[in-house]
Amino acid sequence: MVLKDFYKVLSEEKTGDSKYTITILINEKHEVFKGHFPGNPIMPGVCMIQIIKELTEAITKSTLMIQTLANVKFMALINPEATPELRLELDVTTTDEGLVKVKNTTYFNDTVALKLNNVYKKIDL
């Protein structure tokens, strides 16, 4: 986890061959929200992208590097004080070339907060 104590996984469920639903709880007291923004905390988009990467690494049991991001759409602001629980739906597939493709939709309650498609390259450490 890049940001220590930023979120915790509440549940993870495999819902299909390549589909997962993961519920996380954002730590609304985390330092990042003091600067983004004071008195009106908003989840930074780059933090959401990092969370998706970390969850995908856990699913694939691989270290990943973002190769491409496509169709990144922030649909609603995530205020961690009002809606700290997020549901991420991930469709994770691996190509014959070893690339990991992810389609994500993130929700708080029934509101779509983020949609994105990305491709990761596996890194050998």
Side-chain angles (χ1 to χ4, degrees), residues 5-71:
D5 299 323
F6 188 65
Y7 69 96
K8 68 179 177 179
V9 175
L10 298 177
S11 67
E12 179 179 339
E13 179 183 3
K14 187 169 184 176
T15 58
D17 288 341
S18 61
K19 297 182 187 297
Y20 299 82
T21 298
I22 302 172
T23 303
I24 64 171
L25 183 67
I26 301 298
N27 175 6
E28 74 265 16
K29 304 282 190 225
H30 196 276
E31 290 288 317
V32 77
F33 297 114
K34 291 181 181 173
H36 201 269
F37 295 94
N40 185 26
I42 304 293
M43 171 69 79
V46 68
C47 291
M48 282 305 308
I49 292 169
Q50 180 65 28
I51 289 169
I52 294 164
K53 177 182 174 282
E54 290 175 4
L55 295 175
T56 304
E57 287 177 327
I59 290 167
T60 62
K61 296 177 179 46
S62 301
T63 301
L64 303 173
M65 179 175 67
I66 294 174
Q67 184 166 339
T68 60
L69 290 171
N71 300 320

Side-chain angles (χ1 to χ4, degrees), residues 110-123:
D110 291 325
T111 301
V112 175
L114 168 65
K115 287 185 171 192
L116 70 78
N117 297 332
N118 51 12
V119 178
Y120 300 101
K121 182 178 180 180
K122 290 184 180 181
I123 299 173

Side-chain angles (χ1 to χ4, degrees), residues 55-118:
L55 295 175
T56 304
E57 287 177 327
I59 290 167
T60 62
K61 296 177 179 46
S62 301
T63 301
L64 303 173
M65 179 175 67
I66 294 174
Q67 184 166 339
T68 60
L69 290 171
N71 300 320
V72 180
K73 296 178 181 159
F74 294 96
M75 314 287 280
L77 296 175
I78 300 170
N79 178 333
E81 291 177 351
T83 53
E85 192 171 300
L86 303 176
R87 184 176 82 252
L88 293 90
E89 295 179 357
L90 303 171
D91 187 350
V92 180
T93 56
T94 302
T95 68
D96 291 338
E97 296 81 26
L99 298 176
V100 178
K101 294 184 177 186
V102 177
K103 292 181 182 175
N104 166 261
T105 304
T106 299
Y107 301 85
F108 57 84
N109 302 322
D110 291 325
T111 301
V112 175
L114 168 65
K115 287 185 171 192
L116 70 78
N117 297 332
N118 51 12

